[in-house]
Amino acid sequence: MSVDPGESQFYRRRICEERGEDFEWDYLVVPREEIVRATFALFDERASAIKDDRPSSGQVE
């Protein structure tokens, strides 16, 4: 792990450079919609799990 240098899509750029995929990192050029959908599904799943673990309103832990 390292500190994010603040460069747009920094890690995607570096990973694609290593793989020899010169422009694959750019979401505008190669959006990879299937990965975006899978990511949203994962977040939805985790958000639901977090919501299910919360105490109901008024309940004190």
Side-chain angles (χ1 to χ4, degrees):
M1 299 298 291
S2 66
V3 175
D4 184 348
E7 181 181 336
S8 177
Q9 299 186 52
F10 176 78
Y11 292 106
R12 284 178 55 95
R13 288 175 192 249
R14 296 303 167 260
I15 291 167
C16 288
E17 280 178 11
E18 290 294 319
R19 296 176 61 174
E21 301 170 351
D22 297 334
F23 297 101
E24 297 283 320
W25 61 267
D26 191 341
Y27 285 116
L28 292 175
V29 176
V30 183
R32 297 186 183 192
E33 292 178 27
E34 70 282 358
I35 294 173
V36 174
R37 285 191 190 98
T39 301
F40 280 127
L42 179 63
F43 280 120
D44 287 343
E45 179 182 312
R46 290 190 179 184
S48 293
I50 290 169
K51 182 179 175 186
D52 292 343
D53 286 344
R54 285 190 199 151
S56 60
S57 61
Q59 184 178 355
V60 178
E61 287 189 49

